[in-house]
């Protein structure tokens, strides 16, 4: 199982003025954090696309391109690229360039996004939400499989024997599908044989088990290689050496961000009881001390048969110092124990 980190580039908020941290400052911090992930031996980093004032990253490719020459081994991907409002040709080209810069470490994770700001920004109609994603995924996969492309759809000009360059290292990019729990999206990923990432950010993770079973059933029924099946989860996380101190420092930041998002979605105010349940063995938050997090990650692997766990680590914009400490703990205290336990299980 790969162990990695995802981020959205949350911007810190000055509580006195309500002003957000500058994007430039946060972007510089993110590059330092990715460098540390690589140094402590984590497997994967993903950065999300958003077009909102509380996030620093509308274009994941720029961050990943900056990270490529200052890292050596870590995989670099989006988490996610909002495919519905992107041009698949340009998206493939951008990630192929990152792949070339990084020596074959780039990935593309396609999703429909958890926010809708990109649709009016780039001139798309929300009534076409599902159709846009289906058509653009078809084009992206066609480009990934073919250097020269002839293709026609509804939302984009046709391509006639068009050469798409540069190509990724090895000609094809790893392309994942990210979903929030929609059955149709899980089935589509299974039919296409694409790796699946499910966001589990609330409630009890065990409730998602039927989705993993449906994906694996669909994947196998469509003739895909069982040895290449890849599934992962993305869950909110932050690690510290002392659980009580970590929760005291982090809860106000986490709750404030959940409320910022919740106000636009009609959610009630976030409660401490939700936070505490989320941190429990049966909850979806990976926030706590190393040994408890080792046990919880291993439980998720056993529950779902994961090949990747992504700790989403910057919800609510914890300080750069908190982030660096969390990354260090993940790489030096959590990941080695998880890997050792999985190696022992495989050996027996």
């Amino acid at each position: 199982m790969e162990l990695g980190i995802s981020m959205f580039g949350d911007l810190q908020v000055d509580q006195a003025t309500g002003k957000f941290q500058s994007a430039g400052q946060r972007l510089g911090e993110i590059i330092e954090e990715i460098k540390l992930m690589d140094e402590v031996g984590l497997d994967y980093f993903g950065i999300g696309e958003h077009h909102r004032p509380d996030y620093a990253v509308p274009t994941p490719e720029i961050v990943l391109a900056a990270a490529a020459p200052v890292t050596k081994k870590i995989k670099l991907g989006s988490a996610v690229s909002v495919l519905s409002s992107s041009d698949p040709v340009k998206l493939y080209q951008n990630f192929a360039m990152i792949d070339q810069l990084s020596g074959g470490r780039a990935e593309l994770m396609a999703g429909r996004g958890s926010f809708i700001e990109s649709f009016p920004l780039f001139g798309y109609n929300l009534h076409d939400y599902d159709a846009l994603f289906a058509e653009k995924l078809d084009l992206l996969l066609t480009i990934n499989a073919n250097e020269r492309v002839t293709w026609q759809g509804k939302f984009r000009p046709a391509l006639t024997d068009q050469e798409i360059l540069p190509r990724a290292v090895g000609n094809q990019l790893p392309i994942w599908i990210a979903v929030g729990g929609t059955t149709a999206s899980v089935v589509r990923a299974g039919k296409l044989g694409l790796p699946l990432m499910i966001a589990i950010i609330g409630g009890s993770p065990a409730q998602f088990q039927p989705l993993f079973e449906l994906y694996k059933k669909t994947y196998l029924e469509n003739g895909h290689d069982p040895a290449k099946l890849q599934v992962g989860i993305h869950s909110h996380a932050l690690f510290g050496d002392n659980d009580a101190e970590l929760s005291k420092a982090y809860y106000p930041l986490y709750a404030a961000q959940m409320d910022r998002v919740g106000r636009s979605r009609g959610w009630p105010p976030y409660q401490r009881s939700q936070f505490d349940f989320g941190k429990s063995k049966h909850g979806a938050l990976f926030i706590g001390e190393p040994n408890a997090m080792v046990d919880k990650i291993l439980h998720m692997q056993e529950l779902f048969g994961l090949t990747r766990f992504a700790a989403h680590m910057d919800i609510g914009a914890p300080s750069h110092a908190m982030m660096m400490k969390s990354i260090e703990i993940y790489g030096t205290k959590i990941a080695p124990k998880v890997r050792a336990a999985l190696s022992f299980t495989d050996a027996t």
Side-chain angles (χ1 to χ4, degrees), residues 89-333:
V89 174
K90 191 62 176 172
L91 199 62
Y92 175 87
Q93 289 178 318
N94 290 349
F95 277 86
M97 289 180 67
I98 298 165
D99 207 42
Q100 292 290 343
L101 281 169
S102 65
R105 291 185 282 125
E107 296 184 351
L108 199 164
M109 188 176 294
R112 293 187 287 185
S114 57
F115 298 98
I116 61 172
E117 287 83 0
S118 65
F119 285 81
L121 184 62
F122 298 114
Y124 292 101
N125 193 323
L126 276 171
H127 292 296
D128 299 322
Y129 186 82
D130 292 322
L132 278 165
F133 185 81
E135 178 176 299
K136 292 191 174 193
L137 180 60
D138 175 68
L139 177 54
L140 179 64
L141 296 178
T142 300
I143 294 167
N144 200 37
N146 302 278
E147 183 172 326
R148 306 194 75 91
V149 173
T150 296
W151 177 92
Q152 186 170 355
K154 177 182 177 182
F155 299 104
R156 190 200 187 282
L159 298 169
T160 303
D161 195 31
Q162 182 65 54
E163 189 174 22
I164 310 296
L165 297 171
R167 303 302 296 177
V169 175
N171 199 45
Q172 292 191 357
L173 285 166
I175 295 177
W176 286 65
I177 296 294
V179 306
T182 305
T183 300
S185 297
V186 170
V187 170
R188 173 165 44 208
K191 285 182 176 179
L192 293 170
L194 296 174
L196 178 71
M197 178 68 73
I198 297 182
I200 302 180
I201 60 174
S204 175
Q207 296 171 339
F208 287 78
Q209 197 164 20
L211 289 179
F212 285 92
E213 293 172 356
L214 176 62
Y215 170 74
K216 293 172 185 177
K217 179 175 182 289
T218 307
Y219 180 98
L220 296 173
E221 286 178 347
N222 282 269
H224 302 297
D225 186 352
K228 295 181 178 179
L229 187 148
Q230 297 182 75
V231 290
I233 64 169
H234 146 120
S235 294
H236 296 170
L238 197 69
F239 309 130
D241 285 322
N242 183 288
D243 183 81
E245 291 179 2
L246 178 66
S247 293
K248 182 179 179 180
Y250 188 42
Y251 172 73
L253 301 175
Y254 188 86
Q257 176 64 1
M258 297 302 284
D259 285 343
R260 272 193 294 274
V261 174
R263 281 192 290 271
S264 65
R265 299 183 177 182
W267 296 348
Y270 191 75
Q271 302 294 324
R272 180 60 191 250
S273 59
Q274 294 173 266
F275 185 77
D276 291 338
F277 173 76
K279 288 180 59 197
S280 73
K281 178 181 179 180
H282 302 291
L285 298 181
F286 291 75
I287 297 170
E289 298 175 8
N291 288 339
M293 297 301 98
V294 170
D295 290 343
K296 198 165 184 177
I297 292 169
L298 289 171
H299 177 60
M300 293 301 107
Q301 201 281 336
E302 182 179 3
L303 192 63
F304 301 129
L306 299 179
T307 62
R308 176 177 289 180
F309 172 76
H312 189 80
M313 205 174 279
D314 65 346
I315 292 291
S319 70
H320 179 49
M322 289 177 71
M323 290 290 295
M324 294 291 274
K325 180 65 174 177
S326 181
I327 293 164
E328 180 185 6
I329 289 172
Y330 193 13
T332 62
K333 297 182 179 181

